[in-house]
Amino acid sequence: MTMDSPIPLAIVGVGKIARDQHLPSISRTPAFALRAAVSRNAEVDGVQNFTDIEACLAARPDVKAVALCLPPEPRFAAAITALEAGCHVLLEKPPGATLGETDVLADLAREKGVTIFATWHSRFAPAVQPAKAFLADRAIRKVTITWREDVRRWHPGQGWVWEPAGFGVFDPGINALSILTEILPDEALLRAARLEVPENAATPIGVTMTMGIAGGGYEIDADFDWRQEGPQTWEIAAETDGGLMSLTGGGKTMAVDGKVVSDEPEAEYDGIYKRFADLIEAGESDMDMRPLRLVADACLLGRRVAVEPFHE
């Protein structure tokens, strides 16, 4: 299909990530025009607001695309509703509470002939593609991920992150895994994991993962932690025959042996909406589940260790 005019879009879930990232990027993307918002306790100025997606789509049949910014657990039902109505669907990460859910959504989108896009916003950080190009023809010796941040700063008052399907520290950790699976020339496979779960929570506050690649080769170590105060750390380092490649700032800056080779302004969510528009125009979908599969494998294979209760 060819888009001659902006696609009418509704945003579902008007929380911090929607206001900080989605709404500004939608306003900057000519391919979309925001027409409605859905939230139980918030509104977006300048558009029609609803408290549930069913009412929104019934009242606004002009809406042809939906951006789902809900937590993972309720997102599945909203996605089914949107797909059944013939809407293109953008899924905030993680794309589902289970791999089974994402399979169902991909199949339904195919059946309805619409686009579904599982977004991994960190893949659109400016230094990710330069890092991928650098590693493509290098011998990799070891990869280390350090993703440590303060949950109180980034998820204040959001108790759902500690409940089943809330993902715990995997909520940010999956960002690192989305970059890893994008830049590596090989498929990462989980070998072992340790999940530190507060006594009053169902999801981990700290995780270590050991990964490798099929047939051996090199090791990949990951350290995710939600207890870091002060400066936050989002780093991936790869030891190669061409030097030590490091991605810092969540993929914003790339350096080789300490020399910065890529450092551009962050525009992750602008990239997401451009990609969504391109997929719709091409009549395609993008449901890469490799980051979610690594999280699922860690939960299957990992050793759970109880740690002290978490109190905000």
Side-chain angles (χ1 to χ4, degrees):
M1 64 175 288
T2 301
M3 292 181 288
D4 298 320
S5 57
I7 300 170
L9 179 141
I11 190 165
V12 182
V14 185
K16 179 175 171 56
I17 194 67
R19 292 196 183 279
D20 289 352
Q21 300 291 350
H22 287 266
L23 291 175
S25 288
I26 292 167
S27 71
R28 291 191 293 263
T29 306
F32 297 104
L34 186 66
R35 294 290 183 250
V38 179
S39 175
R40 289 180 298 178
N41 47 32
E43 292 189 350
V44 175
D45 294 338
V47 301
Q48 195 169 0
N49 287 271
F50 301 87
T51 56
D52 64 79
I53 188 172
E54 291 82 3
C56 173
L57 297 180
R60 298 299 304 259
D62 58 311
V63 167
K64 301 303 179 186
V66 173
L68 297 181
C69 305
L70 300 160
E73 188 172 23
R75 197 180 301 150
F76 177 69
I80 291 289
T81 298
L83 292 170
E84 290 284 6
C87 292
H88 307 293
V89 172
L90 179 151
L91 300 166
E92 178 54 272
K93 66 86 191 172
T98 69
L99 287 165
E101 287 184 356
T102 62
D103 286 345
V104 169
L105 296 179
D107 289 344
L108 182 57
R110 204 159 31 243
E111 176 187 325
K112 296 294 182 179
V114 295
T115 291
I116 188 166
F117 177 30
T119 64
W120 302 108
H121 65 81
S122 291
R123 286 183 173 176
F124 293 86
V128 169
Q129 291 307 314
K132 181 177 182 177
F134 177 84
L135 294 177
D137 57 358
R138 299 295 195 286
I140 301 172
R141 296 168 180 152
K142 184 176 178 59
V143 178
T144 304
I145 300 171
T146 308
W147 222 257
R148 301 172 68 91
E149 63 182 51
D150 185 352
V151 64
R152 294 178 176 88
R153 182 188 303 188
W154 302 103
H155 290 274
Q158 297 179 27
W160 61 267
V161 299
W162 302 112
E163 299 298 328
F167 279 69
V169 75
F170 279 123
D171 182 79
I174 205 170
N175 295 334
L177 298 176
S178 73
I179 295 176
L180 179 77
T181 51
E182 176 68 14
I183 65 176
L184 284 189
D186 309 292
E187 196 73 19
L189 299 172
L190 186 77
R191 304 298 189 207
R194 184 177 190 271
L195 286 65
E196 297 182 348
V197 182
E199 292 177 349
N200 60 340
T203 57
I205 196 168
V207 171
T208 56
M209 299 170 64
T210 300
M211 294 166 276
I213 61 172
Y218 54 91
E219 188 173 279
I220 306 156
D221 291 330
D223 174 17
F224 306 144
D225 203 296
W226 245 354
R227 295 163 291 197
Q228 175 137 315
E229 299 178 2
Q232 310 288 276
T233 305
W234 303 290
E235 298 179 355
I236 298 177
E239 300 172 19
T240 79
D241 62 346
L244 176 65
M245 188 282 294
S246 62
L247 278 176
T248 56
K252 180 181 183 298
T253 304
M254 172 185 163
V256 177
D257 288 337
K259 180 180 179 181
V260 173
V261 295
S262 178
D263 186 12
E264 302 294 332
E266 184 276 322
E268 294 179 8
Y269 281 81
D270 287 15
I272 281 175
Y273 280 95
K274 182 182 184 305
R275 172 68 171 155
F276 190 32
D278 289 346
L279 288 168
I280 293 171
E281 186 167 14
E284 299 175 352
S285 291
D286 182 351
M287 286 287 279
D288 182 4
M289 291 298 110
R290 289 177 295 165
L292 183 58
R293 188 168 65 240
L294 284 170
V295 171
D297 287 350
C299 293
L300 283 169
L301 193 60
R303 179 181 298 276
R304 294 173 66 91
V305 178
V307 297
E308 63 183 19
F310 172 80
H311 299 289
E312 191 165 344

